[in-house]
Amino acid sequence: MSIQTTSVLLVMTNCPDRASALRIAQALLEKSLVACVNVYPEMLSLYNWQGEQEQAPEVALHLKTKAELYPQLEQAIIALHPYQVPEIIAIPVVQGLPAYLDWVQAETGNHHYAYDKQ
């Protein structure tokens, strides 16, 4: 089996609570920047921030989009996210069910919106 890079990305971000996670997920879906969002149950994150070790509850989001929309998606997450520096990590999907990957392509990019941090 050969590995082929697709034009689909799995983008991950964490939110401080379920309410902000759902708000971000719904806004990204409404703007067709993602085809699907998985909202995970609360977890505990441990990290270093400004020279101090921190821990906080977070809710993870896994977003599925096409690679060409990443710049707009990143801008939208930054504008909608309550964190000063939100985690935004994109992982290329190298393989997947062709019908699912086609669905992600079909469900994204139907609109183009600009976001401003509020």
Side-chain angles (χ1 to χ4, degrees), residues 3-16:
I3 295 178
Q4 303 172 348
T5 300
T6 72
S7 61
V8 173
L9 296 176
L10 169 63
V11 178
M12 299 183 307
T13 191
N14 291 333
C15 297

Side-chain angles (χ1 to χ4, degrees), residues 2-118:
S2 66
I3 295 178
Q4 303 172 348
T5 300
T6 72
S7 61
V8 173
L9 296 176
L10 169 63
V11 178
M12 299 183 307
T13 191
N14 291 333
C15 297
D17 54 47
R18 185 170 176 82
S20 62
L22 291 174
R23 182 179 51 77
I24 291 169
Q26 291 165 341
L28 298 176
L29 284 164
E30 288 171 7
K31 306 307 182 196
S32 298
L33 290 171
V34 296
C36 175
V37 180
N38 301 114
V39 180
Y40 288 83
E42 185 178 289
M43 63 185 169
L44 180 64
S45 293
L46 290 91
Y47 53 92
N48 291 320
W49 179 248
Q50 299 178 340
E52 299 291 328
Q53 188 176 82
E54 303 281 339
Q55 64 180 32
E58 291 188 306
V59 174
L61 297 180
H62 283 185
L63 314 154
K64 277 68 94 182
T65 192
K66 53 186 166 189
E68 68 191 57
L69 290 177
Y70 179 81
Q72 295 99 315
L73 177 58
E74 181 183 88
Q75 181 182 10
I77 293 170
I78 290 168
L80 295 164
H81 209 288
Y83 288 168
Q84 180 183 356
V85 181
E87 171 188 12
I88 305 173
I89 298 173
I91 301 170
V93 174
V94 295
Q95 281 188 265
L97 180 68
Y100 180 82
L101 299 176
D102 290 345
W103 172 78
V104 170
Q105 291 285 331
E107 291 298 321
T108 52
N110 299 326
H111 304 80
H112 295 285
Y113 292 88
Y115 285 85
D116 295 318
K117 186 82 173 173
Q118 302 190 21

